[in-house]
Amino acid sequence: MNRLVPILFLLFAQACAQKPWYGDLKFEGKIPSKLSEISGMVTNNATTLWIIEDNGNKDHIYALNRKGQLIKEFKVKNAKNNDWEDLAKDDKGNIYIGNFGNNNNDRKNLSIYKIPNPDNEPGDKIEAVKISFHYPEQTKFPPKKSKLLFDCEAFFYKQGFLYLITKNRTRPYTGKALIYKIPAIEGSYEAELVGEFLSCTNQKFCSITAADISPDGKKIALLGSGYIWLFSDFTGDDFTNGTLETIDVQHRTQQESIAFLDNTTLLIADEQSQTKGRNLYSYKLD
């Protein structure tokens, strides 16, 4: 019996020494525990990432370095975190905060906050202007279960407009996402429906949780929990008419944020869920 003790100890030590499995994602760093519910991410340069948290958290935007370490934060003035769900940026480095999380499909105060490039701002407060909008296809708040299509956690900026990709909450689940666009200018707008996308029909993995467009404007990435839907060769507003590549990153966590670091590298962050997540990853496109 005593002979088994060293063997069992060795096996235990080897198991503890094994590196965590991240599938095809490359681990970049651990995000601070105070930021356990990251819901959006964007970068204007190769060294600083700007992130937000969702409903129930502060009206703040945070800067991380490439290892996930907190280096700066701003309180966003004239803005309320009803449910912040994604970040986008324009060609001048202005950042847009998607205040459009709508789990129950019953909100009538959907908005996006625009702030100047925070890389250039001093102090600890930053001023926001408001872009309000509504979906003309939604007439009931909430609609019936088969029409729960008006939650949103994903958007990006392209040529003066913001493109929103909704999150499906229908019962039974269909996997369909609606694509809307609104002007990226302060004001109040009726969102224009420009397309729709069927990801897949597994609700656990197929709902769209984030989006971004590459710096050269040639690729659009949508994120699910373990999947990336990558579009290229598109024209016009409905990018789903382009070429689609579905990428399984082989790692199943609550992935809520995606951003292009450059034209071939994606950054991904996940929320804390029990003992998993709260990590920053990178993924290299072929």
Side-chain angles (χ1 to χ4, degrees):
M1 184 68 178
N2 291 339
R3 293 179 181 178
L4 290 175
V5 174
I7 297 174
L8 292 173
F9 179 81
L10 180 60
L11 291 174
F12 178 78
Q14 288 177 337
C16 292
Q18 288 179 351
K19 292 183 178 180
W21 169 251
Y22 300 121
D24 293 333
L25 300 177
K26 179 185 176 184
F27 176 79
E28 296 288 346
K30 196 73 178 178
I31 295 166
S33 58
K34 68 175 286 185
L35 301 174
S36 62
E37 296 185 320
I38 289 182
S39 58
M41 177 170 57
V42 74
T43 179
N44 276 324
N45 59 60
T47 59
T48 304
L49 317 175
W50 291 98
I51 64 101
I52 52 170
E53 292 191 287
D54 56 16
N55 183 34
N57 292 289
K58 293 181 179 180
D59 310 328
H60 285 203
I61 185 168
Y62 305 88
L64 306 179
N65 63 21
R66 284 288 310 279
K67 294 299 181 182
Q69 298 167 323
L70 179 63
I71 55 176
K72 192 174 184 180
E73 66 181 274
F74 286 106
K75 175 177 174 53
V76 184
K77 298 172 65 177
N78 305 321
K80 176 66 177 175
N81 188 346
N82 301 110
D83 195 357
W84 292 2
E85 287 291 358
D86 202 7
L87 292 175
K89 66 175 182 180
D90 63 22
D91 302 332
K92 297 180 180 179
N94 299 307
I95 287 181
Y96 301 81
I97 302 170
N99 182 35
F100 42 46
N102 190 16
N103 290 6
N104 298 321
N105 280 232
D106 58 357
R107 283 185 62 184
K108 295 184 179 181
N109 61 341
L110 302 173
S111 62
I112 294 166
Y113 298 114
K114 179 181 180 180
I115 61 174
N117 186 345
D119 291 327
N120 302 329
E121 294 295 308
D124 58 3
K125 295 181 176 66
I126 193 165
E127 195 91 15
V129 298
K130 188 175 182 179
I131 302 168
S132 300
F133 70 96
H134 69 277
Y135 305 110
E137 285 71 27
Q138 182 175 11
T139 57
K140 294 183 179 180
F141 299 83
K144 59 184 180 179
K145 293 179 180 179
S146 62
K147 299 293 184 181
L148 293 171
L149 294 166
F150 302 102
D151 188 13
C152 186
E153 296 188 3
F155 76 142
F156 61 89
Y157 171 94
K158 179 174 177 281
Q159 297 176 351
F161 288 90
L162 297 165
Y163 290 79
L164 287 67
I165 303 94
T166 67
K167 183 176 183 179
N168 188 296
R169 292 191 180 274
T170 60
R171 296 192 293 273
Y173 183 77
T174 64
K176 182 170 75 170
L178 304 178
I179 302 166
Y180 286 92
K181 78 170 186 176
I182 60 173
I185 303 172
E186 182 180 5
S188 182
Y189 302 99
E190 180 176 276
E192 179 185 352
L193 182 64
V194 297
E196 57 184 56
F197 170 59
L198 182 64
S199 56
C200 54
T201 55
N202 185 326
Q203 187 171 9
K204 189 174 182 180
F205 307 118
C206 301
S207 298
I208 309 302
T209 60
D212 199 17
I213 187 168
S214 60
D216 62 8
K218 294 181 178 180
K219 300 183 185 74
I220 291 169
L222 309 184
L223 181 68
S225 293
Y227 287 89
I228 299 168
W229 293 277
L230 187 69
F231 296 90
S232 58
D233 302 319
F234 47 81
T235 58
D237 291 329
D238 187 1
F239 57 85
T240 66
N241 289 329
T243 301
L244 169 63
E245 180 184 0
T246 301
I247 302 168
D248 183 350
V249 300
Q250 304 293 324
H251 188 51
R252 301 288 184 265
T253 55
Q254 191 173 341
Q255 295 161 29
E256 295 273 341
S257 306
I258 194 167
F260 276 94
L261 180 64
D262 53 46
N263 291 321
T264 59
T265 308
L266 288 163
L267 298 175
I268 292 172
D270 51 14
E271 291 192 6
Q272 178 81 46
S273 180
Q274 297 180 348
T275 60
K276 293 183 178 181
R278 196 162 44 84
N279 295 327
L280 178 66
Y281 313 94
S282 62
Y283 181 84
K284 196 73 174 178
L285 299 172
D286 292 335

